[in-house]
Amino acid sequence: MTDPGETEPTDSDPTEQPAIEAHGVHRTLGQGASATTVLRGVSLQIERGEWVAIMGPSGSGKTTLLHALGGLDHVDGGTIHLGGHEISAATETERARLRRTEVAFVFQQYNLLSDLSALDNVCLPLRMIGRGRRSARQAARAMLDELGLDDRRLAYPAELSGGEQQRVALARALVVEPLVLFADEPTGALDTAAGDIVLDALRRHHGDGQTIAMVTHDHRVASAADRVLSMRDGELTDEHRLRAVHAIDAQNLISLELG
């Protein structure tokens, strides 16, 4: 009961909430004797406009965590809030709606639709959220142009190099201006030159306020982030704030990856 003159508490504005809040997240794959616990009580917070890289050895739970934070997968325990909305208890339909409007993913394997041109691949998420055809094509072309692909906009995925396909995938993710961009090894399948183009694009959009949660094995890529979180055996084991120092020693990042 409130005192006279006091107002009842109200829900906080979702736009004032962190981009991601996770508390005590658990995830187990399989059942019975074959069950494997992949996430063991993971808690973290990512602020709006922050770039967080997650490193660790293979099998440490990095990708599972990324998928859970972005609503691609459910969790068995704990809570996850995305932009102030709880997704850990959401139905698949509710998570799908939030994925269309709040998040975008870039994977190591580009996941482009083979029967659509580069331009139409980038248009697709805009059309899915109701943008008109002309407006969607204008926005998609502008994004492809930013990534140096305007002259390849009518090419199909099979006609593009790996680096070009990854840039199309990145354009498709960024064009919707998501609350959070989730990137799973975005340069993992690329050579250095192609990887640098993708990394430069991520830097530009992060500079404009884009929140990024990224899994990577590449300490050079991780050094672009604001923070690096280290995972091992389904737990976060360390954190390094890269922007708190003037330079980052590559060996320190390698040690974070290895745990």
Side-chain angles (χ1 to χ4, degrees):
M1 183 174 181
T2 59
D3 293 332
E6 289 185 354
T7 58
E8 292 289 343
T10 58
D11 292 337
S12 57
D13 184 348
T15 63
E16 298 177 354
Q17 300 299 309
I20 296 171
E21 283 187 288
H23 298 282
V25 173
H26 287 264
R27 182 74 171 103
T28 299
L29 302 179
Q31 296 180 342
S34 62
T36 302
T37 301
V38 184
L39 299 177
R40 303 172 183 270
V42 174
S43 297
L44 61 85
Q45 181 169 303
I46 299 176
E47 300 299 334
R48 291 171 186 255
E50 189 178 20
W51 184 348
V52 172
I54 304 170
M55 303 187 77
S58 296
S60 59
K62 304 183 302 296
T63 293
T64 300
L65 176 60
L66 203 72
H67 287 185
L69 296 176
L72 278 180
D73 198 3
H74 71 277
V75 297
D76 301 312
T79 61
I80 298 172
H81 285 80
L82 179 68
H85 304 285
E86 185 177 359
I87 62 171
S88 43
T91 66
E92 174 53 35
T93 299
E94 292 167 338
R95 292 203 308 271
R97 178 181 57 80
L98 283 170
R99 288 197 302 269
R100 286 195 301 270
T101 59
E102 301 291 338
V103 305
F105 282 86
V106 178
F107 301 97
Q108 183 173 352
Q109 301 303 322
Y110 323 116
N111 292 343
L112 300 177
L113 296 180
S114 61
D115 56 345
L116 295 181
S117 69
L119 182 63
D120 287 336
N121 265 284
V122 179
C123 281
L124 186 60
L126 291 173
R127 298 288 284 148
M128 290 177 66
I129 61 175
R131 286 279 286 271
R133 183 175 183 273
R134 177 176 294 182
S135 174
R137 289 177 72 84
Q138 288 175 340
R141 183 167 180 178
M143 188 60 68
L144 287 170
D145 184 43
E146 179 190 331
L147 290 168
L149 289 170
D150 187 60
D151 62 339
R152 304 291 283 152
R153 67 186 183 279
L154 300 182
Y156 288 83
E159 301 170 325
L160 300 171
S161 68
E164 289 172 334
Q165 289 187 66
Q166 187 62 299
R167 279 186 280 164
V168 173
L170 181 58
R172 180 181 60 186
L174 290 171
V175 76
V176 297
E177 300 179 351
L179 170 63
V180 183
L181 173 67
F182 292 95
D184 190 359
E185 298 284 2
T187 63
L190 307 181
D191 61 28
T192 300
D196 284 345
I197 294 173
V198 169
L199 187 57
D200 286 345
L202 290 173
R203 284 195 181 104
R204 287 196 303 274
H205 282 268
H206 175 54
D208 291 336
Q210 178 64 62
T211 307
I212 303 173
M214 176 181 70
V215 163
T216 183
H217 279 101
D218 189 333
H219 61 268
R220 189 176 61 88
V221 173
S223 69
D226 300 313
R227 277 193 294 154
V228 175
L229 305 179
S230 180
M231 286 196 76
R232 178 175 286 276
D233 298 329
E235 299 178 316
L236 293 177
T237 59
D238 204 351
E239 174 182 327
H240 201 104
R241 292 185 177 273
L242 303 188
R243 295 297 173 258
V245 295
H246 294 294
I248 183 67
D249 187 286
Q251 191 60 43
N252 290 339
L253 282 176
I254 293 172
S255 68
L256 284 176
E257 179 182 355
L258 296 176

